Amino acid sequence: MRTWIQDIGKKENGEVKIYGWVETRRDHGKIIFIDLRDKTGIAQVVFGTEDKELYQKANKLRNEWVIKIEGTVKKRPKGMENPNLTTGNFEISAKNLEILSEAKTLPIAIDKDGYEINEEARLRYRYLDLRRKRIFKNLKCRHLAFKFIRDWLTNKGFLEVETPILGKSTPEGARDYLVPSRLERGKFYALPQSPQQYKQLLMVAGIERYFQIARCFRDEDTRGDRQPEFTQLDLEMSFVEEHDVLSLVEALFTDLVKKIFPEKQITKIPFPRLDYQEAIKQYNSDKPDLRKNKNNNNELSFVFIVNFPMFEWKKESSYAEASEGKEKRLAGRSLGEGRWDAVHHPFTRIKNEELRIKNRGEFIKYIKENPQELIAHQYDLVCNGYEIGGGSIREHNPEILEAVFEIMGHNKKDIREKFGHLLDAFEYGVPPHGGIALGLDRILMILMNEPNIREVMAFPKTGDGRDLMMGAPSEVDKNQLKELGLEIKSRRKVGTPTEASEKTKR
Ligand code: ASP
């Protein structure tokens, strides 16, 4: 049976079999030392000259070779202990060595943090970069945090439900990744920008408390620390008010930090709630950094920003699907060319409750005439100056929801085509509901003191969306295209600007 390296101390004078990678080899003439590494730690293995054949074999070993050792666990001689290793009081006196695979010299060094190495090289050889202690630790913390979240929410009566990856576009303000359908040529699935509509439909289905550690896809031009695909903690609850959602998130994060990141201090619990207008006035930002001491790595200052405006005037349509025709229809507005867009998303409930008391017709008339006046039931969670999540209480009245789509420039036909399923569902007994989505990569980046989200993901892409290790995106076989009824009219080389980035430049 294999012994994990971390456990060798429990087997003093016993025989063990250990497996792993050669971290270093030190040749002291009559004696060879190997530091052997598995995922749990490092052990020193000793080869003497008494067994010539074994000694010769050990002499051939090089860094990163994969080997199996059989030997006896011994206490190290006095004064030879290594306090830097958890196994540092012990060593293995080797009796047998099996070389399982050899390794070329690695193209990147893996013994340090790796920040100093060119990132392209790190990403191209990510499977080696992941051998680095720091990144392994990040992946482990990520796993522990996800497990904690799953257990915590399960205890609170939440059900994790997977929603489709091949679906229909949900507007979250970015461009969709499209997947062509082979069976219905000319039609496309959209990869989810978020599971927004599915989770709302799960509320109609009576699930009441849903969550999902969900992969989301947004096709955006290179912008800072973004990734084309990222992971959200997505959740939705029925029969709740804004404060229910906020208190739940606050309790979850407080417990998560306490349990998995105990070295971190939260500046203030309960997390402050700050009005959007107040945040802009006081900090000139809707994601203020409220840490008392910004040099202290272990301080976490959470703040909820609430009471966002419902709509903002967008000079350019932010939805990829906004056609030129729609732009022209709206061009008559006094604010210049553009359209009203939801600050969060259209499914958000308008807060102006005093107006709702009027009859519905009057309320709808008012919101259509005064979109700039409306406050949304929207909230963001900010930590140390980063927006780490956002959500809202939803509009569950189909007539009002339809009016919101109209304000955003959709005509009736459009609305039916794009959102008919949701409007229909809301006719069959929909509970009032609300939720939030939290960007887990970004949260983990902050919790692990990393400078960007790529450091907490196993296989991130470059800023311009390339997977350097696998070589994606890549060209596909002509026959694959033919089956899909597609033809490539023009190609763009890596690094040349997209139409969208050209437009913003002009
Ligand atoms: N779907 C939203 C987002 O991804 C979050 C929400 O409203 O729950 O930002």
Side-chain angles (χ1 to χ4, degrees):
M1 247 249 293
R2 174 186 187 183
T3 301
W4 291 111
I5 282 176
Q6 68 184 3
D7 296 330
I8 60 167
K10 295 179 200 155
K11 307 223 164 149
E12 196 183 336
N13 297 323
E15 301 291 309
V16 290
K17 262 185 237 155
I18 55 173
Y19 293 77
W21 287 259
V22 174
E23 173 99 351
T24 53
R25 186 184 62 100
R26 294 180 301 280
D27 189 345
H28 287 209
K30 289 217 164 82
I31 201 165
I32 294 172
F33 292 105
I34 297 290
D35 277 350
L36 189 68
R37 179 187 80 233
D38 73 8
K39 73 169 196 145
T40 67
I42 289 179
Q44 174 165 286
V45 183
V46 190
F47 298 87
T49 42
E50 32 325 325
D51 181 339
K52 281 252 153 49
E53 208 181 309
L54 183 63
Y55 179 88
Q56 294 298 338
K57 211 167 170 190
N59 210 13
K60 287 203 306 206
L61 293 177
R62 294 293 176 268
N63 287 0
E64 299 306 312
W65 286 25
V66 179
I67 59 173
K68 171 185 175 187
I69 297 282
E70 287 170 274
T72 316
V73 180
K74 295 262 172 71
K75 252 233 151 91
R76 290 200 198 185
K78 266 244 154 344
M80 305 300 273
E81 298 91 349
N82 180 353
N84 298 324
L85 289 183
T86 42
T87 62
N89 289 337
F90 301 93
E91 60 189 15
I92 313 272
S93 167
K95 291 211 169 126
N96 198 17
L97 157 67
E98 203 177 314
I99 295 170
L100 301 174
S101 74
E102 299 185 2
K104 293 203 258 181
T105 305
L106 302 198
I108 51 168
I110 58 165
D111 54 338
K112 305 232 169 61
D113 279 343
Y115 295 117
E116 71 290 352
I117 302 171
N118 166 305
E119 203 185 25
E120 295 233 334
R122 286 184 55 204
L123 293 183
R124 185 173 305 276
Y125 296 101
R126 186 63 164 176
Y127 46 89
L128 299 179
D129 197 47
L130 291 174
R131 287 187 190 169
R132 195 181 300 291
K133 234 197 259 139
R134 173 176 66 92
I135 309 282
F136 180 79
K137 180 167 159 258
N138 287 355
L139 292 185
K140 191 168 165 190
C141 280
R142 183 181 175 111
H143 160 74
L144 292 176
F146 283 19
K147 179 175 180 324
F148 180 89
I149 291 169
R150 284 200 159 99
D151 291 346
W152 196 94
L153 288 170
T154 307
N155 282 335
K156 292 271 188 293
F158 282 79
L159 211 64
E160 183 164 24
V161 183
E162 288 165 278
T163 53
I165 296 291
L166 294 177
K168 194 169 164 174
S169 171
T170 278
E172 295 281 0
R175 198 178 288 107
D176 291 318
Y177 278 100
L178 298 176
V179 178
S181 160
R182 179 178 59 84
L183 296 176
E184 285 196 68
R185 276 190 179 183
K187 291 193 177 168
F188 294 82
Y189 301 97
L191 304 186
Q193 292 189 34
S194 84
Q196 185 62 37
Q197 294 187 66
Y198 286 109
K199 69 172 171 175
Q200 292 195 243
L201 291 166
L202 286 172
M203 295 303 105
V204 179
I207 298 293
E208 295 207 29
R209 289 189 161 202
Y210 141 96
F211 84 98
Q212 182 179 191
I213 294 189
R215 198 59 73 80
C216 302
F217 306 84
R218 300 186 188 174
D219 185 2
E220 296 177 293
D221 279 313
T222 319
R223 247 202 293 160
D225 189 21
R226 299 215 177 185
Q227 285 281 307
E229 53 182 302
F230 55 94
T231 305
Q232 280 188 345
L233 168 60
D234 192 42
L235 57 90
E236 195 75 11
M237 302 156 84
S238 291
F239 309 109
V240 285
E241 311 269 354
E242 191 169 305
H243 66 86
D244 298 311
V245 181
L246 301 192
S247 319
L248 179 105
V249 171
E250 181 179 276
L252 168 62
F253 275 90
T254 308
D255 289 353
L256 173 75
V257 168
K258 228 190 269 165
K259 190 77 207 259
I260 313 282
F261 304 92
E263 68 286 2
K264 300 274 172 197
Q265 299 280 331
I266 298 177
T267 316
K268 204 165 173 206
I269 306 172
F271 306 165
R273 273 75 167 157
L274 193 61
D275 208 86
Y276 168 81
Q277 295 297 352
E278 196 53 36
I280 298 293
K281 209 159 86 198
Q282 268 196 48
Y283 304 101
N284 202 20
S285 166
D286 59 1
K287 32 180 191 289
D289 185 349
L290 302 186
R291 274 176 295 179
K292 285 195 190 123
N293 177 358
K294 298 207 171 68
N295 298 320
N296 174 359
N297 258 346
N298 283 333
E299 185 178 353
L300 298 172
S301 102
F302 291 101
V303 49
F304 286 115
I305 310 294
V306 297
N307 293 333
F308 282 79
M310 177 70 196
F311 295 107
E312 63 191 338
W313 185 254
K314 281 249 163 104
K315 283 273 160 42
E316 257 193 308
S317 165
S318 65
Y319 296 162
E321 75 261 29
S323 61
E324 254 202 50
K326 200 186 293 164
E327 292 289 313
K328 286 206 180 102
R329 266 199 320 277
L330 291 161
R333 303 227 190 209
S334 56
L335 288 153
E337 195 137 335
R339 68 183 186 99
W340 287 108
D341 197 4
V343 170
H344 187 47
H345 54 52
F347 314 106
T348 300
R349 184 175 164 98
I350 293 164
K351 207 166 200 175
N352 306 55
E353 296 298 333
E354 70 291 352
L355 297 171
R356 277 181 188 266
I357 299 164
K358 298 182 181 181
N359 75 46
R360 188 164 305 143
E362 265 180 67
F363 179 67
I364 290 180
K365 184 162 176 284
Y366 181 86
I367 62 171
K368 282 188 176 168
E369 285 171 1
N370 302 282
Q372 70 286 356
E373 300 291 332
L374 307 173
I375 303 295
H377 246 304
Q378 179 200 338
Y379 30 81
D380 274 2
L381 178 59
V382 171
C383 180
N384 294 1
Y386 291 96
E387 184 201 318
I388 57 169
S392 60
I393 298 300
R394 324 299 183 188
E395 180 54 69
H396 64 275
N397 179 288
E399 269 177 78
I400 299 174
L401 190 53
E402 210 168 328
V404 168
F405 291 133
E406 279 178 40
I407 293 168
M408 291 170 59
H410 297 278
N411 62 32
K412 293 249 188 249
K413 186 168 156 274
D414 247 18
I415 296 172
R416 268 320 308 162
E417 263 168 30
K418 292 200 168 98
F419 306 108
H421 51 278
L422 197 68
L423 296 168
D424 286 349
F426 284 3
E427 305 275 3
Y428 295 105
V430 51
H433 58 284
I436 193 164
L438 302 144
L440 290 177
D441 308 296
R442 193 165 290 170
I443 294 165
L444 290 170
M445 170 192 96
I446 298 169
L447 289 169
M448 294 179 205
N449 302 323
E450 288 292 1
N452 66 62
I453 59 172
R454 298 185 292 285
E455 303 291 349
V456 300
M457 297 172 127
F459 296 108
K461 297 186 172 55
T462 58
D464 53 2
R466 285 176 299 143
D467 178 337
L468 297 177
M469 183 184 66
M470 302 286 278
S474 62
E475 288 175 15
V476 296
D477 200 88
K478 274 212 182 74
N479 286 331
Q480 275 178 295
L481 288 177
K482 211 167 136 201
E483 270 190 323
L484 296 167
L486 296 178
E487 198 186 319
I488 305 296
K489 287 211 160 155
S490 67
R491 294 180 197 278
R492 184 185 293 122
K493 281 225 188 78
V494 172
T496 53
T498 61
E499 286 90 18
S501 59
E502 277 290 271
K503 223 185 246 169
T504 33
K505 253 199 288 176
R506 262 180 242 138

